[in-house]
Each structure stands twice: as structure tokens, then as C-alpha cells.
């Protein structure tokens, strides 16, 4: 069979991606440079004088069909949020913030010691809009983000109309953060209609997300003239640098508008594909209209997603704050949707849809505590005259490098002060394990660990979606006997006789991947050598039985092999 890769280095480069990581943690436009942004040096002619943003002010106002008094340019969305807190504190206004929310609002709460009501989210992590509106009073400001960060939840147009109406009836205001609105596509223009209807509404937008200009720090506030005037009075006079103004002007052109629209549509399509894969794997998603997805569900699957992305050099958001009022722990991930989807999809499939699962045999598929371990103890006692314990065996196995039980028995014997060769150890070991004459060997005491149901699903039914292989440190004949004992049929068995280098070398796993022409694989084992082999092969490393395997690179540890079924 023709190998998929010329050598292991080629394999590592393919499965682990490029040297530069794919950043999918800050919702930036990290893998698709704006086509309308020409590669040219910023003019230095204007750097000696204070920046003049009037030209950009006119351009943005015309872009949206608004009067210039209805627009305030800000130093990114962050300055706009800072102005909100300054405005609320100076006017002693109560803030209402439904959670989950963008972390910057919680930073502002602490920095300004603001009077703010945090509203607990609904059970599915959507905002409790009804409760938030119910908390409004004279002079209060309701902070909404739509699409929301970190969930992507979109407040529909009718919902925004009702919120603005109720707020106005109570003498309250609405601060609407639309940093991700371009990705909602059809909702992009609708919220702007609300500006003409309501004088108690301020809308925040930015060039940091869909426009791909997070580095220039340019945002803006939209609203009726009187409320924008109040925010503008609190801003620094020269809050946008000249280079920012120069680049931002390029964003507010028809060519940029068309490109951003097409880019956003592609992200929306990719978001649906990612969502389908996650949902089909039993994970929970808030329906997202942003350039990211918020994922909850089985902690083990979330851990595997994190591990797979790390192996493929993809950075995702794993530490989310501001999800609940008391900041109680919520198991969740947020992943930015890239323009070029293949690397992310491959990583998610590695985590959730393995093409091949490799199993170590001893301690994973078969209980060998009364066979191999007993043979180790008997061998050491016969050769040294001293008794060793199960703890002694586990101590060496835990160090790594003792995947071969003959080598392990030799080391334990040497520790007792008796120097012996590997050949002698092997002969004594085999006499106990295989038996001789009428004496049954310890191998007769072996029992399957894997359940009949899981065995049938992976080794007998010959699944078209998931292939299975045994990658063991046993010699070939004993590996075949083990497979026959548990009842596996027509299984791929890669024994220690089939490789040039034993585990922790990844050779056995790579051979199995090549045999089935697969790229995404898992390895289940109970020793540090198994974990090392898995990681070196770019596979998911699943430890069995001992949490200490996390120290040796396990991506997930299960109590026993039968828990695997809950992950498939």
C-alpha cells in the first residue's frame, strides 16, 4: 500500500498545521485579509499635526445616510464603552446588563464602581431580556449586545422595537452594541431604522470584526443628535490617530462594503457547517448570528475539542468570564469561524468524529493483572529471591520507557541487586505466562475488559465510519491470542514484532493510520508510553484508569475502555 506520507516529519507538518497558529480566540478576521485594503505605506505628511477626523466623519455619515451630528468616531469599540460608563457615572444613571456579556462591560463596572444590575441568563445561556427590561427605571440604561458576545444570540428587530418603546415609556435609554452585526447579514441595516424612531437609543459599531481592522482601533456611535452630543462632550478631542483615519476611510467605500458583505456571507455559511458538526456530536449551541459559536455539553467532548485544536495549532477561547451573575463555573468554549474552514473542521473531526481508534491491549482491552503482572512478580522472585508489589510495577510503568514487560521485569530484578540479562528474564517470564507441561500459564487467567456491545460495534460490525486497530507491546503470537480471546474478528493487530521501534515511538499508530488511509485517530492506553506515542502521532491521547496520565500528555482519562461509548 502506498504510504500517505514520505516520513513522520511530513505527517507532523500536515496534521499540526503551519508554524503560525490559527487564532480563533478573539473573533478577529485572522485568516482572510480584506481585499480592498491595498498594501501601501501610510502617508507621513500629516503626522506632524493633530489629526483631523472631519473627512472621515463626513464619509461615514454619508455611508449610513445620517447627519454628521448623529455620529461619534471613537478609538475602537472600547472607547465607546468607556464613554458609556463615564456618561452613566457623571449622570448617576443605573446600568442594566443581562448576562452573558462582553468582558469589557464587567471591566468597566469594576473600574468605574458603577451602579449596575447584572441579570442572570436563561438556562440555555440566552439573555433574560424580559427580566432586564422589567428592571428599567427613570434614567436607567439597558446595555444590549446583538449579536451577543460570547453566544452569538441575535435580538430580532421586533424585539428591539419593543425594548426601545418600553425603555422610552420609563424614561430609560438603550445602549446597543452591534460589533458583530455584519455577520447577521439581513439584520445589518434594520437596526439603523430605529435611530430615527427613538431618541433614547445609541448604537455601537466597529471596524474590528467583519472589516478586519482590529489593529487600527476605530469604532463609532450612532444615534440622534442630542444623545450623541452628550457622549461626544466626554470624548478626547483627538481620539483617532491620523494613520487610523487614513485607513478607516478605505473601509467606507462601496468596494469595501461589497467585499465585507461577501465575506460575512461566507462566514455565515461556514458557521452553519461547524454548527451541524457540533450538534450532530451531541453538543449544545446557542443559535449564533456572529462570527463565532458558543459550545456547551459533555465536559469530555469539550476537553477533546480543546486538545484537538492544540494539536492542530489552532487557538480557541477556553476561559470565558462574565457568563453568570456570580461568575459560577460554566463549561463552555467559544470558537471564531474562519474563512478557510478546512483546518478547523479537521480539528473538530479529530475531536468528535475519529476515523480510527487504536487500542493498547493489556489493561485496556484485557485485564492482565493476574497474567502479565503476576508473571512479572513471579519472575523477579525466582531470579532475585525477593518479592515485588503491584506498586513497584506501577512505579516503573509510570516513569515511561517500560512498555515491554520483559524489560520491566529485568529492571525490577536489577533493583533487587541481581543483575540478569534480558534473554534469561524472557525465558523465565514466558514459562510463567505460557505455562509448561500440565501447568497452565497465567495467560489462562486473562479476562476481557471491553464490553460485548462495544467490541461488536468497533471490532466485529466493521463500521464504515470508525475503524479499529490494536497497537500493543505484546509479541505477535500473544497479540493474536489476545484478540482471539476477546472475540475480535479480522482485526488489524500491530504488535511489537511489527515495528522497528516500540512505544513511545508513534510507529505503530502511524502504521495503522496508513493501513486504513486515515488521518484522524485516537489512541487508548494505560501507560505514559501510550500517551507519548499518541501525541507524537498527532492522535488524541486517551488514558485509561489513572488520572496521573494527564501529566504524561493524556488529553482525556477514562475509568475504563467502556466509557468510550459515550464519546462516539
Amino acid at each position: 500500500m502506498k504510504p500517505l506520507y514520505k516520513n513522520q516529519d511530513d505527517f507532523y507538518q500536515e496534521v499540526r498545521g503551519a508554524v503560525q497558529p490559527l487564532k480563533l480566540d478573539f473573533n478577529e478576521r485572522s485568516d482572510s485579509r480584506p481585499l480592498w485594503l491595498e498594501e501601501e505605506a501610510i502617508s507621513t505628511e500629516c503626522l506632524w499635526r493633530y489629526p483631523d477626523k472631519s473627512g472621515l466623519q463626513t464619509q461615514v455619515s454619508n455611508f449610513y445616510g445620517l447627519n454628521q451630528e448623529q455620529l461619534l468616531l471613537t478609538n475602537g469599540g472600547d472607547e465607546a464603552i468607556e464613554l458609556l460608563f463615564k456618561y452613566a457615572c457623571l449622570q448617576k444613571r443605573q446600568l442594566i446588563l443581562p448576562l452573558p456579556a462582553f468582558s469589557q462591560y464587567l471591566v468597566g463596572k469594576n473600574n468605574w464602581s458603577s451602579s449596575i444590575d447584572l441579570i442572570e441568563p436563561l438556562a440555555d445561556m440566552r439573555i433574560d431580556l424580559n427580566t432586564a427590561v422589567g428592571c428599567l427605571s427613570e434614567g436607567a440604561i439597558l446595555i444590549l449586545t446583538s449579536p451577543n458576545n460570547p453566544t452569538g444570540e441575535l435580538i430580532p428587530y421586533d424585539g428591539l422595537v419593543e425594548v426601545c418603546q418600553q425603555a422610552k415609556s420609563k424614561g430609560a435609554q438603550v445602549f446597543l452594541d452591534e460589533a458583530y452585526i455584519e455577520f447577521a447579514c439581513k439584520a445589518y441595516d434594520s437596526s439603523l431604522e430605529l435611530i430615527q424612531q427613538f431618541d433614547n437609543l445609541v448604537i455601537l459599531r466597529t471596524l474590528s470584526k467583519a472589516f478586519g481592522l482590529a489593529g487600527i482601533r476605530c469604532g463609532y456611535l450612532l444615534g440622534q443628535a442630542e444623545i450623541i452630543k452628550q457622549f461626544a462632550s466626554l470624548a478626547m478631542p483627538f481620539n483617532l490617530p491620523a494613520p487610523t483615519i487614513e485607513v478607516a476611510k478605505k473601509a467606507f467605500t462601496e468596494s469595501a462594503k461589497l467585499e465585507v458583505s461577501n465575506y460575512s456571507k461566507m462566514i455565515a455559511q461556514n458557521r452553519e457547517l461547524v454548527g451541524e458538526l457540533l450538534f450532530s456530536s451531541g453538543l449544545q449551541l446557542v443559535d449564533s448570528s456572529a462570527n463565532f459559536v458558543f459550545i456547551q455539553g459533555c465536559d469530555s467532548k469539550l476537553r477533546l475539542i480543546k486538545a484537538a485544536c492544540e494539536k492542530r495549532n489552532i487557538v480557541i477561547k477556553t476561559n470565558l468570564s462574565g457568563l453568570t451573575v456570580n461568575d459560577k463555573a460554566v463549561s463552555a468554549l467559544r470558537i471564531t469561524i474562519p474563512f478557510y474552514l478546512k483546518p478547523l473542521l479537521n480539528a473538530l473531526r479529530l475531536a468528535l468524529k475519529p476515523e480510527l481508534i487504536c487500542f493498547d491491549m493489556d489493561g485496556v482491552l484485557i485485564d492482565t493483572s493476574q497474567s502479565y503482572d503476576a508473571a512479572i512478580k513471579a519472575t523477579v522472585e525466582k531470579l532475585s529471591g525477593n518479592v515485588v508489589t503491584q506498586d513497584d510495577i506501577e512505579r516503573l510503568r509510570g516513569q515511561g520507557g517500560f512498555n515491554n514487560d520483559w524489560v520491566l521485569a529485568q529492571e525490577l530484578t536489577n533493583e533487587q541487586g541481581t543483575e540478569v540479562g534480558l534473554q534469561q528474564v524472557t525465558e523465565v517470564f514466558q514459562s510463567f505466562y505460557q505455562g509448561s507441561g500440565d501447568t497452565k500459564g497465567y495467560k489462562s487467567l486473562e479476562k476481557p475488559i471491553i464490553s460485548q456491545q462495544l467490541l461488536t460495534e468497533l471490532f466485529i460490525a466493521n463500521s464504515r465510519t470508525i475503524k479499529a486497530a490494536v497497537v500493543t507491546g505484546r509479541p505477535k503470537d500473544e497479540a493474536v491470542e489476545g484478540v482471539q480471546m476477546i472475540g475480535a474478528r479480522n482485526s488489524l493487530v500491530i504488535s511489537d514484532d511489527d515495528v522497528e521501534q516500540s512505544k513511545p515511538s508513534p510507529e505503530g499508530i502511524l502504521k495503522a493510520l496508513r493501513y486504513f488511509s486515515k488521518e484522524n485517530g485516537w489512541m487508548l492506553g494505560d501507560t505514559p508510553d501510550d500517551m507519548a506515542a499518541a501525541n507524537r502521532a498527532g492522535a488524541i491521547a486517551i488514558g485509561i484508569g489513572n488520572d496521573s496520565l494527564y501529566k504524561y500528555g493524556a488529553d482525556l482519562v477514562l475509568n475504563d475502555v467502556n466509557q468510550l461509548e459515550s464519546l462516539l
Side-chain angles (χ1 to χ4, degrees):
M1 179 177 295
K2 182 179 179 181
L4 290 176
Y5 305 96
K6 294 179 181 178
N7 54 54
Q8 290 180 11
D9 289 339
D10 289 344
F11 180 86
Y12 295 153
Q13 185 174 1
E14 173 71 17
V15 298
R16 295 178 180 175
V19 174
Q20 291 296 323
L22 175 59
K23 279 187 88 289
L24 301 182
D25 56 337
F26 275 16
N27 303 333
E28 301 150 309
R29 184 169 170 168
S30 60
D31 71 333
S32 177
R33 186 178 179 278
L35 299 176
W36 45 268
L37 187 60
E38 299 176 3
E39 291 189 21
E40 58 183 29
I42 299 297
S43 171
T44 60
E45 281 296 314
C46 60
L47 296 184
W48 62 271
R49 61 176 182 262
Y50 285 108
D52 179 5
K53 61 184 182 182
S54 60
L56 179 61
Q57 183 94 5
T58 300
Q59 190 174 352
V60 180
S61 300
N62 293 338
F63 187 83
Y64 285 115
L66 300 173
N67 297 324
Q68 292 191 41
E69 295 76 14
Q70 295 180 277
L71 167 73
L72 172 64
L73 294 166
T74 62
N75 194 280
D78 288 344
E79 187 195 8
I81 294 172
E82 192 77 359
L83 290 176
L84 166 67
F85 280 95
K86 184 186 292 189
Y87 172 75
C89 284
L90 291 175
Q91 298 196 11
K92 295 181 171 54
R93 291 176 178 268
Q94 181 73 17
L95 294 170
I96 313 295
L97 178 64
L99 300 180
F102 176 39
S103 59
Q104 196 64 26
Y105 290 105
L106 298 174
V107 171
K109 164 186 171 292
N110 295 330
N111 289 347
W112 288 89
S113 299
S114 300
S115 177
I116 186 167
D117 288 336
L118 301 179
I119 309 301
E120 192 73 18
L122 300 173
D124 61 0
M125 297 308 293
R126 290 182 298 114
I127 64 169
D128 188 348
L129 190 56
N130 290 335
T131 297
V133 171
C135 292
L136 287 174
S137 58
E138 179 73 27
I141 304 175
L142 173 59
I143 304 171
L144 297 175
T145 302
S146 180
N148 196 19
N149 180 10
T151 63
E153 176 189 2
L154 180 72
I155 303 173
Y157 177 78
D158 291 345
L160 290 175
V161 171
E162 184 177 352
V163 167
C164 290
Q165 288 174 340
Q166 292 195 43
K168 188 171 180 61
S169 69
K170 296 181 179 183
Q173 297 176 340
V174 177
F175 186 90
L176 179 60
D177 185 334
E178 291 191 330
Y180 299 95
I181 193 62
E182 290 84 3
F183 300 107
C185 298
K186 294 181 181 179
Y188 176 69
D189 293 321
S190 60
S191 60
L192 295 177
E193 300 173 11
L194 299 176
I195 293 175
Q196 310 303 335
Q197 300 178 47
F198 297 100
D199 60 1
N200 63 330
L201 171 66
V202 178
I203 294 178
L204 179 158
R205 290 192 175 183
T206 180
L207 300 183
S208 294
K209 305 305 179 182
F211 284 85
L213 297 176
I216 72 168
R217 313 310 299 132
C218 183
Y220 47 101
L221 292 174
L222 305 170
Q224 290 197 13
E226 181 56 35
I227 195 168
I228 292 299
K229 180 180 178 181
Q230 295 182 57
F231 277 85
S233 68
L234 303 176
M236 293 184 297
F238 301 107
N239 59 346
L240 288 190
T244 292
I245 294 169
E246 190 172 337
V247 175
K249 286 179 179 179
K250 302 177 187 298
F252 293 99
T253 60
E254 286 303 314
S255 60
K257 182 178 180 180
L258 177 61
E259 193 274 344
V260 169
S261 175
N262 290 335
Y263 169 78
S264 298
K265 289 176 182 177
M266 177 59 71
I267 296 301
Q269 292 176 21
N270 289 350
R271 184 180 65 219
E272 293 303 311
L273 292 174
V274 170
E276 289 172 5
L277 174 58
L278 295 169
F279 186 77
S280 70
S281 300
L283 293 165
Q284 301 156 21
L285 304 171
V286 175
D287 189 17
S288 176
S289 295
N291 68 328
F292 52 81
V293 288
F294 178 82
I295 313 164
Q296 289 182 278
C298 171
D299 286 348
S300 295
K301 290 184 179 181
L302 296 181
R303 183 185 283 271
L304 291 179
I305 291 174
K306 179 182 177 182
C309 287
E310 287 178 352
K311 292 176 191 292
R312 299 298 170 88
N313 213 12
I314 298 173
V315 185
I316 63 175
K317 192 71 172 179
T318 58
N319 297 315
L320 294 164
S321 59
L323 300 181
T324 64
V325 171
N326 297 318
D327 207 20
K328 63 183 180 182
V330 175
S331 293
L333 300 174
R334 190 192 68 196
I335 302 179
T336 306
I337 302 300
F339 185 83
Y340 300 103
L341 192 57
K342 185 177 178 181
L344 176 60
L345 281 184
N346 283 344
L348 293 176
R349 289 180 181 128
L350 172 62
L352 304 170
K353 306 284 186 181
E355 300 172 305
L356 169 68
I357 302 179
C358 298
F359 297 84
D360 183 39
M361 182 169 284
D362 303 331
V364 177
L365 298 175
I366 298 174
D367 180 356
T368 58
S369 61
Q370 301 301 313
S371 58
Y372 276 111
D373 291 356
I376 292 171
K377 296 172 187 176
T379 299
V380 175
E381 183 175 7
K382 182 172 182 177
L383 293 173
S384 71
N386 296 324
V387 175
V388 294
T389 66
Q390 189 66 32
D391 287 343
D392 293 320
I393 294 174
E394 298 304 330
R395 171 176 54 81
L396 281 188
R397 282 190 180 140
Q399 294 177 11
F402 292 98
N403 190 60
N404 185 310
D405 285 344
W406 299 335
V407 175
L408 192 153
Q410 181 189 28
E411 180 65 18
L412 285 174
T413 303
N414 291 342
E415 285 185 354
Q416 307 309 309
T418 303
E419 295 291 331
V420 291
L422 184 59
Q423 180 63 35
Q424 183 181 3
V425 171
T426 302
E427 290 173 357
V428 174
F429 183 101
Q430 290 300 95
S431 69
F432 285 113
Y433 179 75
Q434 294 288 354
S436 58
D438 295 332
T439 303
K440 286 187 176 181
Y442 291 149
K443 70 178 183 181
S444 63
L445 302 176
E446 293 179 344
K447 297 178 182 179
I449 297 175
I450 188 170
S451 69
Q452 187 60 47
Q453 180 177 340
L454 186 59
L455 179 75
T456 299
E457 180 181 347
L458 293 176
F459 286 96
I460 298 176
N462 194 25
S463 167
R464 292 181 180 274
T465 56
I466 303 177
K467 302 299 181 183
V470 175
V471 180
T472 177
R474 287 191 177 196
K476 188 70 172 183
D477 57 344
E478 292 176 14
V480 172
E481 286 179 353
V483 167
Q484 292 172 344
M485 188 270 288
I486 64 175
R489 301 174 188 169
N490 301 319
S491 299
L492 174 65
V493 178
I494 298 178
S495 71
D496 213 39
D497 295 333
D498 298 314
V499 295
E500 293 182 9
Q501 292 184 312
S502 305
K503 292 179 283 188
S505 165
E507 183 182 349
I509 301 172
L510 294 175
K511 275 196 169 186
L513 286 166
R514 288 195 293 267
Y515 179 86
F516 289 110
S517 298
K518 304 298 183 183
E519 294 183 7
N520 292 336
W522 294 2
M523 174 70 200
L524 277 72
D526 64 338
T527 69
D529 288 344
D530 293 320
M531 301 302 96
N535 282 302
R536 292 174 184 178
I540 291 291
I542 299 182
I544 298 296
N546 193 335
D547 283 348
S548 67
L549 291 173
Y550 282 122
K551 295 188 301 183
Y552 296 97
D555 298 314
L556 178 67
V557 175
L558 305 177
N559 291 331
D560 64 62
V561 67
N562 297 309
Q563 284 187 303
L564 179 64
E565 197 161 6
S566 66
L567 301 177
L568 302 178

